[in-house]
Amino acid sequence: MKRRAYLLATATVGLAGCSAALETDDPDPDTDTDTTSENETTETPSAEGTTPDEPDESDEPDEPDESDEPADPDNPEIAGTFDDFEDLAEWTALEGSLSATDDAFLGSQSALLESDAASDRVTISREFDSPLDLSAVVPGLAITTEEMVIPLIRLFDADGNRIDYRRAIVGGLPFARYNFGVEAVGGDPDLSAITEIQILQWTGDGTARFRCDDLHFTPRPETGIVMIQFDDGFETDYTEGLRVLEEYDYPAVTFVNSSRIGNDGRLDLDQAEALSEAGWTVGSHSHTHPHLSELTAAEQEAELRATKEWLVEHGFEEGARYFAYPFGDYDATTVDLVEKHHDLGFAGGKPAQGYVTNPQLCSRIGDPDAEQAREALDRAADMRGISTLFYHELEGQRLADFEATIDYLHELESAGDVEVVLPAALEERFVF
């Protein structure tokens, strides 16, 4: 389906194996953010200001070419681990350095990528004599890093057309797999004939150093998947969100803080029950909405336990299985506790992802305006990806943007291009 084009800024560069490629400018980390109930924008720890800008020229490429008859999304042949970095001779360092380290996610070693003073990024490349058919899958990596990094996985076809996948990775966490979502598209890439894969990280005025392992591919859904969520349990979830969504019989998720139920401007118990009766999921957003990474392990666990127990006690047992990180903030302890107490956790990430590869860090986009939401929905539809949108208090322009977004979602859903789901469906059908 070739009905839409995506605007991205590009600059021409000369790199080994892709001299004709279009290069996207390094984007700011907008969609990996969470927003507080007071509308203060934050990100997963230390993310602000980590990436520089590149030269900016406008282009309007088509979206990637997709097969009319996609491979079975439940079992595409290439899904799973593709490269465990046991043989680094397969890779070339185009910028910065590549070396082996015995800190591994799979096997005996991983790849250590380090920038140098000669470039503003580190880039490694692997080229293929026989093109890869990646039309039914999305790439991902296992990564560990001491400081926040926001790497790209870049796929090229033989003509230099490319698609970029991106994910912010918090420092201080052990090796883990991460879903990467679509950042930008250059030209009209043929995903059934990929000839080069790059892994790169911008450094700007700083440095970059991280380990990667387990380059893998996760299946795409058979149809685009969309989820609508709300954070902080604002009363407008009931007064405005329900009003807009029930016109099309779409469910949503409200992640609540148990200490705020019944407070001024927040959902009370009757309203939460009404949302549940309307098909919504009432999930956990912690007890008091703290920056969890600033708390002790015992304090973090108390935050998670309190709201989970409140949800179960008041009849929201299904929602008690799902968690959204306040401020998008977490450390290794938080992720471990979410795995212990919940089935899925939601943080930040890009749209149009493949099947969930890390259930504790499912991706979502915070408070998108109408244009950003439309792009995320288009990419879910055209690339058969998973896009989750979440919102805070629905008022003013945010409410207008939300109404426009749901109207457009209905167009796509009515055409059979996307399906609207809840966390239970994501867990049951789309975890890899």
Side-chain angles (χ1 to χ4, degrees):
M1 180 181 308
K2 300 181 65 84
R3 333 188 241 109
R4 309 177 183 92
Y6 305 122
L7 178 65
L8 76 152
T10 61
T12 302
V13 295
L15 294 178
C18 55
S19 59
L22 290 174
E23 182 93 9
T24 181
D25 63 336
D26 180 43
D28 58 20
D30 52 348
T31 60
D32 295 313
T33 61
D34 193 355
T35 308
T36 72
S37 58
E38 291 73 31
N39 297 325
E40 299 172 359
T41 300
T42 66
E43 175 144 348
T44 47
S46 306
E48 288 192 19
T50 59
T51 53
D53 290 331
E54 277 195 310
D56 186 61
E57 296 178 13
S58 292
D59 190 14
E60 293 188 357
D62 290 337
E63 74 269 18
D65 187 22
E66 299 285 356
S67 170
D68 289 336
E69 296 294 333
D72 178 2
D74 294 322
N75 190 31
E77 293 182 3
I78 203 167
T81 297
F82 178 77
D83 193 321
D84 59 7
F85 294 93
E86 294 295 298
D87 182 8
L88 295 189
E90 300 279 357
W91 294 85
T92 300
L94 304 181
E95 296 156 304
S97 66
L98 169 67
S99 59
T101 172
D102 59 7
D103 182 12
F105 182 78
L106 290 178
S108 64
Q109 69 177 39
S110 63
L112 174 63
L113 280 65
E114 297 181 277
S115 62
D116 57 34
S119 178
D120 62 356
R121 63 186 174 184
V122 55
T123 308
I124 65 172
S125 169
R126 180 173 172 182
E127 299 185 36
F128 309 100
D129 294 331
S130 299
L132 302 177
D133 183 354
L134 303 183
S135 58
V137 293
V138 177
L141 281 168
I143 292 180
T144 186
T145 176
E146 296 175 4
E147 304 291 339
M148 164 73 73
V149 293
I150 312 177
L152 293 176
I153 303 173
R154 178 167 286 173
L155 310 181
F156 289 97
D157 67 15
D159 295 323
N161 303 304
R162 60 102 179 96
I163 181 168
D164 291 350
Y165 296 87
R166 180 169 175 255
R167 178 67 186 244
I169 312 294
V170 173
L173 273 64
F175 253 125
R177 275 184 165 187
Y178 291 92
N179 282 101
F180 280 62
V182 176
E183 169 63 40
V185 180
D188 185 18
D190 181 358
L191 294 181
S192 69
I194 296 300
T195 58
E196 180 183 7
I197 297 177
Q198 291 184 0
I199 300 169
L200 62 148
Q201 166 67 35
W202 306 101
T203 62
D205 296 330
T207 59
R209 185 177 188 272
F210 65 98
R211 295 172 176 84
C212 63
D213 203 350
D214 185 28
L215 174 62
H216 59 272
F217 299 109
T218 60
R220 298 174 185 268
E222 193 169 329
T223 301
I225 298 298
V226 175
M227 191 186 310
I228 303 297
Q229 301 179 349
F230 298 90
D231 276 14
D232 297 357
F234 283 102
E235 188 176 28
T236 55
D237 294 2
Y238 175 77
T239 60
E240 301 291 355
L242 178 60
R243 171 186 63 80
V244 174
L245 291 171
E246 67 181 354
E247 180 177 351
Y248 305 114
D249 197 27
Y250 293 154
V253 188
T254 178
F255 287 110
V256 302
N257 308 107
S258 52
S259 70
R260 294 174 169 178
I261 295 294
N263 288 359
D264 187 39
R266 310 286 173 161
L267 294 170
D268 60 28
L269 179 57
D270 289 342
Q271 291 169 331
E273 289 175 341
L275 291 176
S276 179
E277 291 170 2
W280 288 38
T281 297
V282 181
S284 174
H285 198 41
S286 80
H287 183 55
T288 66
H289 202 287
H291 283 274
L292 289 167
S293 68
E294 298 175 359
L295 305 183
T296 67
E299 291 169 336
Q300 290 195 43
E301 185 154 28
E303 283 284 338
L304 270 62
R305 279 185 177 277
T307 296
K308 181 177 181 179
E309 291 172 358
W310 183 91
L311 289 167
V312 171
E313 179 183 348
H314 290 89
F316 306 114
E317 292 89 352
E318 179 174 312
R321 296 159 49 198
Y322 309 116
F323 182 79
Y325 296 84
F327 303 102
D329 172 46
Y330 53 88
D331 60 14
T333 297
T334 323
V335 176
D336 287 345
L337 289 170
V338 170
E339 182 176 18
K340 176 181 177 181
H341 292 288
H342 302 282
D343 294 333
L344 298 178
F346 292 88
K350 292 288 182 178
Q353 305 209 353
Y355 279 36
V356 174
T357 190
N358 186 334
Q360 286 71 57
L361 293 172
C362 302
S363 299
R364 60 185 192 153
I365 305 162
D367 289 317
D369 62 28
E371 181 178 354
Q372 292 167 336
R374 187 183 184 100
E375 179 180 76
L377 296 176
D378 279 345
R379 286 179 169 170
D382 294 333
M383 300 181 183
R384 301 189 349 259
I386 300 171
S387 293
T388 298
L389 314 180
F390 79 97
Y391 297 84
H392 291 86
E393 189 171 16
L394 292 178
E395 57 182 4
Q397 186 59 49
R398 184 180 294 157
L399 174 58
D401 286 337
F402 178 73
E403 291 174 323
T405 295
I406 301 306
D407 283 345
Y408 187 60
L409 173 61
H410 180 60
E411 291 183 28
L412 296 176
E413 188 265 338
S414 297
D417 293 340
V418 298
E419 176 186 356
V420 182
V421 304
L422 289 171
L426 190 70
E427 179 189 4
E428 293 165 5
R429 298 164 51 195
F430 303 114
V431 173
F432 183 65

